[in-house]
Amino acid sequence: MSMSGGEDRSPEEKFRLGVLISGSGSNLQSIIDRLHQGPGNIEIAVVISDNPGAYGLKRAEKAGIPTAVYPMSGYSSRAAHDLDMAEELARRGVDLVVLAGYMLIVTSEFLQRFPHRVINLHPSLLPAFPGGTPIEDTMAYGARVTGVTVHFVDEGTDTGPIILQEAVDIKYNDTVESLRERIHKVEHRLLPDAVQLIASGRAGFASENPRRVIIESD
Ligand code: GAR
């Protein structure tokens, strides 16, 4: 398999993350708590939000992590917005971009700057229920099982190669909020797991099918 991660780094070199958020940032918090400046040599180099009021920015500041805000309103096109953001991430030497509740779709101009280096967290078992309201859509459909997906980002919406998935049962009495809470618990474990796999060079693409991600323990 061809590897996608930090296998070329020297042991002293940190694997640097750029985390993009739009809201509460509870998943950012799980990366701060489990990985940032821990024994795995991973650090968050910057947290970026499109939303100046995102609570996740406060979480980052509390942890002493640099932050930046790029509101869409300041730009005439999504490509221009994303190129400025990509500049900032490159300037900070970011190895992996993590979309952790980032609600804008990133452009192909952005992805070209970080090939196989952008991952996204999504609260459903993709390819079921992509898009902006997956938990609501899952419940409205009457599905009995949903889950969490961490995947590499490609040019489609929630269509990139899957790194990790885990199922979550839907109970008859669930509300969107109670289900969201259980999904969050899984996300807070799965997203740091995926980052760690990539940072340690244990996630790669199968040579016979570049959509398939192989995890070294598979
Ligand atoms: C998470 O549940 C994440 O899966 C979802 O936004 C939430 C952010 O929570 N992302 C998407 O729906 C992307 N389409 P957080 O701000 O507390 O980490």
Side-chain angles (χ1 to χ4, degrees):
M1 69 181 176
S2 65
M3 303 303 286
S4 63
E7 66 279 5
D8 297 332
R9 279 174 309 133
S10 69
E12 318 75 61
E13 229 177 310
K14 297 254 190 212
F15 187 84
R16 294 168 71 80
L17 307 177
V19 182
L20 272 52
I21 59 160
S22 295
S24 155
S26 71
N27 285 285
L28 162 68
Q29 190 68 53
S30 73
I31 298 175
I32 294 173
D33 295 344
R34 251 192 63 194
L35 302 178
H36 181 59
Q37 307 292 22
N41 247 358
I42 295 169
E43 73 178 5
I44 303 174
V46 64
V47 170
I48 295 182
S49 180
D50 58 305
N51 168 15
Y55 182 67
L57 292 168
K58 292 208 167 51
R59 297 181 192 266
E61 281 157 21
K62 201 164 161 214
I65 298 165
T67 61
V69 179
Y70 288 86
M72 243 332 279
S73 56
Y75 293 88
S76 56
S77 75
R78 285 171 50 216
H81 170 266
D82 280 13
L83 284 174
D84 265 11
M85 212 163 58
E87 249 341 286
E88 165 110 36
L89 291 161
R91 206 167 46 239
R92 294 188 184 272
V94 160
D95 297 296
L96 181 72
V97 179
V98 181
L99 310 185
Y102 183 67
M103 292 313 199
L104 302 182
I105 305 228
V106 292
T107 55
S108 50
E109 286 83 354
F110 184 87
L111 293 173
Q112 278 157 22
R113 292 292 301 270
F114 302 99
H116 294 143
R117 285 285 191 277
V118 184
I119 67 171
N120 182 45
L121 172 68
H122 187 79
S124 78
L125 282 182
L126 290 171
F129 306 109
T133 52
I135 300 179
E136 292 83 348
D137 298 348
T138 308
M139 290 216 39
Y141 193 88
R144 307 293 294 254
V145 178
T146 183
V148 173
T149 303
V150 185
H151 64 94
F152 285 106
V153 178
D154 67 6
E155 314 250 328
T157 302
D158 302 323
T159 53
I162 291 167
I163 305 162
L164 292 177
Q165 282 188 310
E166 190 170 310
V168 173
D169 284 336
I170 300 174
K171 297 178 184 159
Y172 183 72
N173 290 329
D174 262 329
T175 60
V176 166
E177 277 324 307
S178 65
L179 180 58
R180 192 188 310 281
E181 210 171 292
R182 288 208 310 292
I183 284 178
H184 262 123
K185 286 210 174 94
V186 174
E187 290 185 331
H188 296 163
R189 186 162 36 76
L190 223 60
L191 183 61
D193 280 354
V195 170
Q196 206 161 28
L197 286 168
I198 294 168
S200 60
R202 283 180 289 148
F205 294 95
S207 40
E208 76 283 1
N209 177 358
R211 270 209 63 87
R212 283 203 71 191
V213 174
I214 303 181
I215 306 296
E216 213 174 64
S217 58
D218 277 357

